[in-house]
Amino acid sequence: MAIIVEPQVKNYINGKFEINNQDIMDIVSPLDGSIISNLPLSTYQDVDIAVKSAIKAFPSWSSKTLKERVQIFFRYRVLLEENIDELTKLIQLENGKTYAEAKAEIEKGIELCEFAVSMPQIIVNEIQEVSRGVECKIERKPLGVVASITPFNFPNMVPHWTMPNAIVLGNTMIMKPSELVPLSVTRMAELLKEAGLPDGVFNIVNGGKEVVEAICDHPDIEAVSFVGSTKVAKIVYKRATSNLKRCVALGGAKNHLIVLPDANPEMTANNVVASMAGCAGQRCMAASVMVGVDKVQHIIDKMVEEGKKMVPGENLGAIISAEAKLRIEKYITEAEKNGAKILLDGRDATVKGKEGGYYVGPTIIDQVTADMSVAREEIFGPVISIIRAKNIEEAIEIENGSEYGNAAAVFTQSGGLAKQVIEKASAGMIGVNIGVPVPREPFSFGGWNESKFGIGDITGRSSIEFWTQNKKTTTKWNPQAQTNWMS
Ligand code: NAD
């Protein structure tokens, strides 16, 4: 199925696509460097218009029952399935992923909707007779207008981390997608409307920094969720909370995989390479450092074999921009200059017929030391740095030395050694013989340390806390009952 891209991406306010701003920015496809559309660089004024539409929609939307609200998402989930090919191709075009990777995003989005529609089964309000004849009840109530700010690397899935749960729980929402990949969210709005979502419940404001700052400052936005780099997560968390909003801000990552000598060589090599090169390494769950404990050369040799099977433009997607490609290649060159050994070199990759696209091949760097920038900083490309460790204690110490804490994994056949890593690793999501340990619904997603700011996780049960507030009612209907306080 061919996909149609409008010449201009528009904001989505009160159920209509509209443009209020003259400043625009080109949207470039990383697949071949071609300009595919442009988007408005919206301002505080545009955010204000969207907030007004969300405020107007809130009373009616929030007064529906939870069971009524989830009906929209049963229909929306079906629409995601029916349109999966088109949605997949849209992600490919704007983000540069392979078809299989892009399709997996929609499948995860569907799973996230399944969690959202299960809310009436999960949220059963608590009630108890606290004194004779006196009942206390807790209900979860929506916050009002909330916002979601998303990154470029999962144009469809990350918006689904927040949108279905926040809206099903009765909030109305302002979505600010990454300015690099706004097409998927635009299509989401159309499908939500087709599913029957009332106008004003979901709004999109396109643009960059100015929109994010407006969201953090706007007095009528109650909660802000952010996913992106640590640098911006900190800015958003500080600005939103200093304006007295609740905020959860997910940041960058530097995930360590600890490989022990008893690990299954094929499975480990396969997993490590899939983790570091899947989505061209542009995943916050990607393996970035492999800590090889003791004698693991046979596994590293297999990793190089596996890595050679990853071909840019075939089973390896594009890097988001020319600037990002340059940044990744600079890291590799710097490591080489500092004495690291490049076992597989992905620099200067090109794809025939797509010479304008941005590609980096899989890169495996050995003899990396903990002080090198490739060992410490987020590279966000298909690159893995191998640090050698004498024993598991040293490996854990290296993992603990990272300022991030999104994910960590261990590869071994020993339950006892795996447990040691599970207990000591300083990360929010741990894998045992799994390279990309993303918790599936209903388990929640979120890291530790510099990978997340704020309380709770962004999905699962944790998100119910984030998107709601408790109302406590104490009731007495039998005045004749001899009750007194604490009786
Ligand atoms: P980014 O931080 O550059 O951008 C994220 C959002 O912030 C975008 O919507 C962007 O418009 C906005 N933004 C950018 N600069 C800003 C500024 N100075 N002030 C205010 N807003 C600003 O991130 P990205 O490059 O789009 O995405 C990649 C990053 O996201 C990586 O660091 C990756 O690890 C991280 N990420 C983390 C998770 C997680 O779950 N922890 C998930 C996905 C991506």
Side-chain angles (χ1 to χ4, degrees):
M1 181 201 193
I3 51 170
I4 302 156
V5 177
E6 295 287 329
Q8 180 150 36
V9 171
K10 300 186 174 84
N11 289 345
Y12 183 69
I13 317 271
N14 199 25
K16 286 174 205 65
F17 287 102
E18 52 185 59
I19 190 144
N20 302 310
N21 192 288
Q22 296 310 309
D23 288 341
I24 54 166
M25 179 185 140
D26 287 338
I27 306 166
V28 176
S29 174
L31 292 173
D32 59 5
S34 62
I35 294 172
I36 48 175
S37 187
N38 64 48
L39 91 167
L41 291 171
S42 306
T43 60
Y44 186 94
Q45 219 52 37
D46 301 312
V47 171
D48 190 47
I49 294 167
V51 171
K52 287 200 168 81
S53 132
I55 289 174
K56 196 165 139 247
F58 181 72
S60 155
W61 181 245
S62 59
S63 65
K64 289 186 191 304
T65 64
L66 187 52
K67 287 206 180 205
E68 282 170 334
R69 289 193 297 257
V70 300
Q71 298 313 313
I72 309 279
F73 282 84
F74 278 113
R75 291 196 284 276
Y76 175 70
R77 184 202 172 283
V78 171
L79 290 173
L80 288 179
E81 275 185 340
E82 284 175 2
N83 292 279
I84 196 161
D85 181 57
E86 182 210 345
L87 291 165
T88 299
K89 287 177 178 156
L90 213 50
I91 295 174
Q92 276 197 288
L93 181 70
E94 62 180 344
N95 170 280
K97 283 180 195 198
T98 67
Y99 189 89
E101 288 164 351
K103 188 167 178 232
E105 260 200 60
I106 314 294
E107 285 162 351
K108 181 67 192 175
I110 290 170
E111 187 176 89
L112 288 152
C113 287
E114 285 164 4
F115 179 76
V117 299
S118 74
M119 294 283 192
Q121 320 308 323
I122 297 172
I123 303 174
V124 180
N125 295 323
E126 292 168 30
I127 183 163
Q128 192 186 105
E129 188 178 30
V130 288
S131 298
R132 271 188 298 283
V134 178
E135 281 177 353
C136 223
K137 180 170 84 162
I138 291 188
E139 292 169 283
R140 292 199 171 273
K141 295 289 184 189
L143 303 174
V145 180
V146 300
S148 178
I149 304 161
T150 60
F152 80 80
N153 63 331
F154 283 92
N156 189 300
M157 184 194 76
V158 171
H160 280 106
W161 278 357
T162 55
M163 182 275 290
N165 291 357
I167 289 184
V168 153
L169 289 165
N171 300 288
T172 55
M173 176 172 257
I174 314 294
M175 175 71 70
K176 202 307 262 178
S178 162
E179 61 273 42
L180 304 178
V181 295
L183 305 178
S184 293
V185 166
T186 299
R187 190 70 186 113
M188 270 168 64
E190 290 169 348
L191 295 179
L192 282 167
K193 183 151 181 144
E194 198 178 328
L197 192 72
D199 292 347
V201 175
F202 179 70
N203 305 273
I204 305 170
V205 183
N206 285 292
K209 187 176 173 211
E210 201 174 335
V211 177
V212 173
E213 290 175 351
I215 287 172
C216 294
D217 293 347
H218 200 291
D220 295 323
I221 295 178
E222 305 298 332
V224 177
S225 79
F226 171 88
V227 181
S229 61
T230 291
K231 184 180 138 224
V232 183
K234 283 182 181 171
I235 295 171
V236 168
Y237 187 77
K238 284 183 190 164
R239 193 153 174 161
T241 54
S242 77
N243 282 314
L244 309 177
K245 299 178 197 314
R246 60 174 75 173
C247 180
V248 67
L250 273 58
K254 187 80 187 168
N255 305 314
H256 288 55
L257 307 189
I258 297 176
V259 175
L260 301 179
D262 72 336
N264 177 300
E266 282 77 26
M267 196 255 293
T268 304
N270 233 302
N271 257 272
V272 175
V273 170
S275 176
M276 70 99 156
C279 297
Q282 300 170 112
R283 245 193 314 218
C284 65
M285 296 295 279
S288 188
V289 172
M290 168 184 152
V291 188
V293 177
D294 199 20
K295 295 191 175 65
V296 292
Q297 189 57 45
H298 61 296
I299 297 174
I300 294 172
D301 292 343
K302 280 210 178 323
M303 279 167 53
V304 175
E305 272 172 42
E306 283 301 314
K308 284 180 182 159
K309 294 181 195 161
M310 304 287 294
V311 182
E314 287 178 23
N315 56 356
L316 181 60
I319 298 299
I320 191 66
S321 64
E323 191 192 359
K325 174 177 156 75
L326 205 68
R327 186 197 67 235
I328 296 163
E329 294 187 334
K330 259 174 86 177
Y331 272 114
I332 304 168
T333 304
E334 193 185 313
E336 193 176 32
K337 272 195 198 137
N338 289 331
K341 198 169 154 202
I342 316 292
L343 302 182
L344 191 61
D345 191 349
R347 284 172 291 186
D348 302 322
T350 50
V351 172
K352 204 156 176 272
K354 291 180 177 168
E355 284 76 9
Y358 319 123
Y359 296 90
V360 176
T363 301
I364 301 178
I365 314 177
D366 200 1
Q367 312 296 342
V368 170
T369 51
D371 57 329
M372 291 183 189
S373 58
V374 287
R376 288 182 289 106
E377 294 168 23
E378 182 175 44
I379 301 172
F380 225 51
V383 179
I384 194 150
S385 307
I386 304 173
I387 305 181
R388 307 288 187 133
K390 283 192 291 299
N391 51 41
I392 191 166
E393 286 76 19
E394 193 182 321
I396 291 169
E397 207 178 298
I398 292 167
E399 191 282 332
N400 287 178
S402 171
E403 61 192 24
Y404 295 100
N406 218 36
V410 57
F411 288 83
T412 180
Q413 296 189 50
S414 155
L417 293 175
K419 193 147 194 300
Q420 206 172 328
V421 175
I422 296 167
E423 279 173 11
K424 301 267 172 63
S426 182
M429 293 170 279
I430 310 291
V432 178
N433 297 320
I434 290 182
V436 186
V438 174
R440 299 278 302 263
E441 307 312 301
F443 298 94
S444 60
F445 188 102
W448 285 8
N449 310 327
E450 298 269 295
S451 293
K452 198 200 70 191
F453 306 96
I455 295 167
D457 290 334
I458 202 162
T459 63
R461 283 177 188 271
S462 211
S463 75
I464 300 173
E465 297 283 337
F466 185 75
W467 297 120
T468 57
Q469 53 195 338
N470 290 337
K471 180 171 271 183
K472 288 76 59 182
T473 309
T474 306
T475 309
K476 181 179 168 185
W477 284 115
N478 49 347
Q480 73 285 5
Q482 291 216 337
T483 54
N484 54 47
W485 169 237
M486 299 282 283
S487 67

